[in-house]
Amino acid sequence: GENVEQHPSTLSVQEGDSAVIKCTYSDSASNYFPWYKQELGKRPQLIIDIRSNVGEKKDQRIAVTLNKTAKHFSLHITETQPEDSAVYFCAASGGGGNKLTFGTGTQLKVEL
Amino acid sequence: KAGVTQTPRYLIKTRGQQVTLSCSPISGHRSVSWYQQTPGQGLQFLFEYFSETQRNKGNFPGRFSGRQFSNSRSEMNVSTLELGDSALYLCASTSSRVFNEQFFGPGTRLTVL
């Protein structure tokens, strides 16, 4: 089955800096890669996603890149703000149905 | 449009009991997936239902089961509860128009004593 690895597990940045979180996946049939943000005690919230026919997608301060050949995808957050502090999960899905295989999460802390 | 809702939000059970959790998807969404979230194992896929049929199943024992009704509401059941079943159980609904995009409910926090 699919396996998703996520790094780093914790990331601390200064406000205004950029943050990058990286994930790799194992199943070449995966074709959908969402990113979720989860604040303490809250539900995972979809923040951006990318499909396998696209190499990069941007939404304001957030961008995701996908390298299908290398089977890795990354989340980039620019101009980080304290409210960006949360746990971020990458996931992969494909091969029919909506099963998401999640990475282990990255605790992002944005310091003032 | 109302989001995904789950009931109850909190549950306390004892070992050996059984429990039923409910999930109402976003109106018009026909796919419901269930996930278990624990500090040690992270987010793990339990199963997916689409049009009242189980479409995918994760690697959980048969004590975990689910079903979906004609109005797309879904329930999951855990029988013979074990201490290790303590977790946050999340359901997510998916629009048939945007394949794969999943929106999560607030979850049910299950504590097994």
Side-chain angles (χ1 to χ4, degrees), chain A residues 7-86:
Chain A
H7 300 280
S9 57
T10 61
L11 179 59
S12 184
V13 300
Q14 295 293 315
E15 183 180 8
D17 287 350
S18 296
V20 179
I21 302 171
K22 298 182 179 182
C23 291
T24 60
Y25 62 99
S26 62
D27 189 350
S28 57
S30 289
N31 55 20
Y32 176 68
F33 307 92
W35 287 86
Y36 286 87
K37 173 185 180 182
Q38 188 175 29
E39 297 175 83
L40 190 63
K42 296 191 175 180
R43 72 188 78 186
Q45 178 188 3
L46 178 67
I47 57 171
I48 196 167
D49 57 13
I50 192 167
R51 288 174 174 76
S52 59
N53 59 345
V54 175
E56 184 176 5
K57 184 177 178 180
K58 288 183 180 180
D59 183 3
Q60 299 182 344
R61 297 186 297 108
I62 294 173
V64 57
T65 59
L66 171 64
N67 184 325
K68 281 193 63 180
T69 303
K71 293 183 191 169
H72 66 71
F73 56 113
S74 300
L75 177 71
H76 304 252
I77 305 174
T78 59
E79 300 173 22
T80 53
Q81 300 167 3
E83 51 265 39
D84 293 330
S85 296

Side-chain angles (χ1 to χ4, degrees), chain A residues 38 42-44 87 89, chain B residues 35-44 46 60 85-90 108-109:
Chain A
Q38 188 175 29
K42 296 191 175 180
R43 72 188 78 186
V87 178
F89 292 96
Chain B
Y35 296 85
Q36 181 195 65
Q37 186 173 29
T38 59
Q41 299 297 318
L43 278 156
Q44 292 189 290
L46 282 155
F60 279 81
D85 297 333
S86 294
L88 180 66
Y89 290 89
L90 293 157
T108 295
R109 172 72 63 184

Side-chain angles (χ1 to χ4, degrees), chain B residues 8 11 26-27 40 49 61-63 68 71 89 94 101 112:
Chain B
L11 265 179
I26 293 170
S27 178
Y49 286 87
R63 300 185 297 106
Q68 187 179 34
N71 62 356
Y89 290 89
T94 305
E101 194 173 72
V112 182

